[in-house]
Amino acid sequence: MAHRLARRLSWNTLSPLFWVLAAVYLGHWGWRWLALPRNWLVQHYLDDLLCLPLVLTTTLFVLRFFYGPQVRLSWYHVVFTVLYFSLAFEVFFPKFMPRYTGDWIDAVLYAVGGLIFYRFLNK
């Protein structure tokens, strides 16, 4: 039974670019955990840039498990996700939770991340 489930995994979804982006994110996370000094731009904006390529590729991996390797996300799925993340993390959460701050540059970086996913990872 387990071998049948393993065959359904579409490992080609996780391209080398995905692994590079994931390694950069994990490296940045470790760097932050060690409390080492970081560049101001990297400190505030790297995670926002990497967010959607990682989230959407993982989502595509799960969708391909259930629906087959031919599944791709359309441009309006990506646009919806960019809008959703932008509104949630830059508009709504900052109004109700003091931990969050709204920043329009983050929304632009979500859009750039969505473009990176759509152009290079949505294959």
Side-chain angles (χ1 to χ4, degrees):
M1 169 113 175
H3 67 282
R4 280 191 230 141
L5 288 176
R7 270 189 288 161
R8 294 197 59 164
L9 293 174
S10 182
W11 291 105
N12 294 334
T13 303
L14 306 178
S15 70
L17 177 60
F18 169 80
W19 291 112
V20 167
L21 295 176
V24 168
Y25 175 77
L26 290 174
H28 182 243
W29 184 80
W31 198 273
R32 180 177 44 219
W33 184 76
L34 293 171
L36 297 172
R38 293 172 284 161
N39 180 332
W40 182 80
L41 289 171
V42 170
Q43 180 178 353
H44 293 287
Y45 296 119
L46 181 63
D47 291 344
D48 298 316
L49 178 65
L50 298 176
C51 176
L52 284 186
L54 296 175
V55 167
L56 288 171
T57 303
T58 305
T59 302
L60 186 62
F61 182 75
V62 171
L63 286 172
R64 286 182 175 172
F65 175 76
F66 289 109
Y67 299 108
Q70 75 283 359
V71 173
R72 289 185 63 201
L73 296 179
S74 65
W75 66 270
Y76 52 86
H77 290 121
V78 176
V79 169
F80 174 81
T81 306
V82 168
L83 291 174
Y84 182 84
F85 272 69
S86 297
L87 290 174
F89 290 105
E90 307 308 325
V91 176
F92 295 121
F93 288 170
K95 287 186 180 189
F96 303 108
M97 296 181 227
R99 177 175 176 234
Y100 292 94
T101 57
D103 185 3
W104 66 270
I105 297 174
D106 291 348
V108 171
L109 291 172
Y110 291 142
V112 171
L115 285 172
I116 290 170
F117 168 79
Y118 189 74
R119 174 68 178 93
F120 300 109
L121 296 169
N122 193 25
K123 300 196 184 270

